[in-house]
Structures are given as structure tokens and as C-alpha cells.
Amino acid sequence: MPDDADDVMGVITQQIEARFQMPLADLRRAAAAAPHANNDATVVMKWYGMLTEAQEVLEKAEDALVAALDSAPGDVLDDPVMALAHQVNAAVAVRDGRAMVVRHYTDPTSLGSKGPGAWRGAEAAPRRSPALQTAPAPSVPTPSVPVRGAAR
């Protein structure tokens, strides 16, 4: 599966380089040298690093699963092999989640982005009162109903 991993990481690398208009290695050095100069670049590099780690964990889990499958007798998978398969599934989920975060931060039109055409509703919107009434409802006296067997 290394081809798929190379494709995923390659596409994300291209998205990052297009967003910041510089090679990934240069962006990584710039973000490390001056993390407060461009917060977006710093955040993207942080998440890209976590994505790279997740990809490495996935590759190790896949290698372990392939080795276990090669040595498994017959078509029946035992519990240790199934546990490895679950580890691969979990590693894929983590990798894909981190890839989604990186893609979100590299998309200049995503919510909260500071890129061109971005929605800035939360920062630019003036504070308003709630749309619904938030005061407690007036209490209405309820008629008392005698309870059978209650002391008078």
C-alpha cells in the first residue's frame, strides 16, 4: 500500500505548497524559525507533522498485518491477526482524520480561514442579543388539588 500512501502524502504536500507558494521544506524551516510570523503556516506544519507520524504508524501496522497473514495457516484468521487488522483500521482512521485537518487548513475558503474569500463571520459579526427570549417564563399559579390519603 505504499503507492496509496505516497499519493495521499503527495497530494497534501502539493496543496500545502500551493497554499503557501513555497516548497514544503522551506515552509517547514520558516515556520520553525518564526512560528508567530504566520500562524496559519505554523498550524499547517504542526498538523502535517502529526499526519506524517500517523502515516508511519499506519505503514508499520500494515507491515505487521501482512507478515501475520503470510504466516497464518489456512483461511481462518485467529484473534492476534484480527487484532492487527483492527490496529490497521484505527491507524487509517487517525491518518485520514489528520489529513482532513490539514486539508481544512490549506483551503483558503474554509470556515475560519484567513485566506482570500474566507468567511469571517465570527470575528467580524457584532454582538447581538439572543434571537429567542431568555427570561424565565412567568409563573402561573396552579390550583391545588387535594391528594387522597394526605394528612389535613
Side-chain angles (χ1 to χ4, degrees):
M1 293 195 199
D3 294 332
D4 293 340
D6 291 341
D7 291 345
V8 169
M9 297 303 288
V11 167
I12 291 174
T13 298
Q14 289 174 351
Q15 290 172 341
I16 292 170
E17 290 175 347
R19 167 75 168 80
F20 293 100
Q21 297 295 307
M22 66 173 43
L24 186 66
D26 294 347
L27 182 62
R28 184 177 289 146
R29 282 191 295 273
H36 299 293
N38 186 330
N39 191 48
D40 289 346
T42 302
V43 168
V44 167
M45 287 294 86
K46 171 190 161 198
W47 279 97
Y48 185 80
M50 293 188 334
L51 171 61
T52 303
E53 290 172 6
Q55 181 61 43
E56 291 169 4
V57 168
L58 172 59
E59 289 170 6
K60 288 177 184 176
E62 287 174 335
D63 291 345
L65 177 60
V66 168
L69 288 171
D70 286 343
S71 65
D75 294 336
V76 178
L77 300 178
D78 57 1
D79 289 342
V81 174
M82 289 304 294
L84 290 172
H86 290 301
Q87 286 179 351
V88 169
N89 284 339
V92 167
V94 170
R95 190 269 321 261
D96 290 352
R98 291 179 181 179
M100 287 174 51
V101 172
V102 172
R103 285 184 179 130
H104 168 77
Y105 281 120
T106 57
D107 181 1
T109 62
S110 66
L111 293 178
S113 175
K114 295 178 184 160
W119 179 80
R120 300 188 216 301
E123 296 89 46
R127 291 285 285 161
R128 298 182 294 214
S129 60
L132 300 174
Q133 179 181 357
T134 57
S139 62
V140 178
T142 57
S144 63
V145 178
V147 177
R148 288 188 181 176
R152 293 182 198 228

